[in-house]
């Protein structure tokens, strides 16, 4: 099996595990260079938390992709990603790649390291000199 089918094979989520999810816009179109679309994306992530479906640990909205460190509650990770993609398409016409990447955190240390990786993404991409200069991220550790 290749592609998306291979990514889905064996995918499960556990409510006691925190997952690093990454998903990208269709054709890597930089929809989120627009401030209001970026804030809408954050609103979609927050919607999942407000509904009790998830607990966000960290996220960053990059111009053409999202990193989301999240613990699922009443929806599995595939459903969470689907809800976010549907919400942003319906309200903001953001088109998404069909697949997404996921990795379960095996320890608190790995979770903290991954959260640091996520929030440092804009700096690594040379979009800013310091993460505090970037507006579209959050982390429960800070």
């Amino acid at each position: 099996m290749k592609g998306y089918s291979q990514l889905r094979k064996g995918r499960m989520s556990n409510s006691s595990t925190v997952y690093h999810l990454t998903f990208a816009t269709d054709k890597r179109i930089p929809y989120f260079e627009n401030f209001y679309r970026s804030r809408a994306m954050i609103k979609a992530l927050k919607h999942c938390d407000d509904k009790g479906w998830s607990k966000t640990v960290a996220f960053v909205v990059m111009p053409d992709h999202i990193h989301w460190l999240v613990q699922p509650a009443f929806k599995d990770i595939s459903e969470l990603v689907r809800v976010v993609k549907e919400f942003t398409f319906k309200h903001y016409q953001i088109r998404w790649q069909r697949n997404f990447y996921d990795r379960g955190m095996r320890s608190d240390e790995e979770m903290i390291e991954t959260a640091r990786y996520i929030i440092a993404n804009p700096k690594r991409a040379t979009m800013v000199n310091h993460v505090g200069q970037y507006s579209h991220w959050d982390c429960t550790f800070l």
Side-chain angles (χ1 to χ4, degrees):
M1 290 185 164
K2 292 184 180 180
Y4 184 59
S5 297
Q6 186 63 31
L7 285 174
R8 289 189 323 202
K9 184 179 179 183
R11 178 176 280 157
M12 298 173 16
S13 61
N14 181 331
S15 63
S16 64
T17 302
V18 173
Y19 294 88
H20 177 198
L21 307 178
T22 305
F23 42 106
T25 61
D26 187 39
K27 299 176 186 162
R28 300 296 283 221
I29 295 171
Y31 289 108
F32 303 115
E33 285 181 340
N34 176 288
F35 178 84
Y36 296 103
R37 281 188 174 150
S38 294
R39 301 320 284 179
M41 183 65 223
I42 293 167
K43 183 179 177 181
L45 301 178
K46 186 176 181 327
H47 173 75
C48 291
D49 286 0
D50 290 347
K51 289 285 191 179
W53 300 336
S54 62
K55 181 181 177 193
T56 296
V57 177
F59 68 83
V60 67
V61 178
M62 298 297 286
D64 63 358
H65 68 282
I66 309 303
H67 290 275
W68 189 17
L69 192 59
V70 63
Q71 183 175 7
F74 292 103
K75 291 200 179 282
D76 67 30
I77 57 176
S78 294
E79 290 176 292
L80 290 173
V81 172
R82 181 188 55 76
V83 166
V84 168
K85 287 180 177 182
E86 285 179 358
F87 179 90
T88 54
F89 177 74
K90 179 180 177 183
H91 296 287
Y92 302 96
Q93 292 70 53
I94 296 167
R95 296 189 180 278
W96 296 96
Q97 289 181 5
R98 187 171 171 209
N99 58 351
F100 70 94
Y101 164 87
D102 67 283
R103 173 156 174 79
M105 301 293 103
R106 295 187 175 108
S107 67
D108 287 345
E109 293 79 18
E110 182 179 12
M111 181 177 59
I112 292 167
E113 183 179 311
T114 301
R116 288 179 179 146
Y117 167 84
I118 288 170
I119 63 172
N121 219 285
K123 184 177 179 199
R124 277 194 312 282
T126 66
M127 297 169 63
V128 294
N129 294 320
H130 183 274
V131 295
Q133 296 171 321
Y134 195 73
S135 302
H136 310 301
W137 67 271
D138 199 1
C139 180
T140 59
F141 298 123
L142 302 175

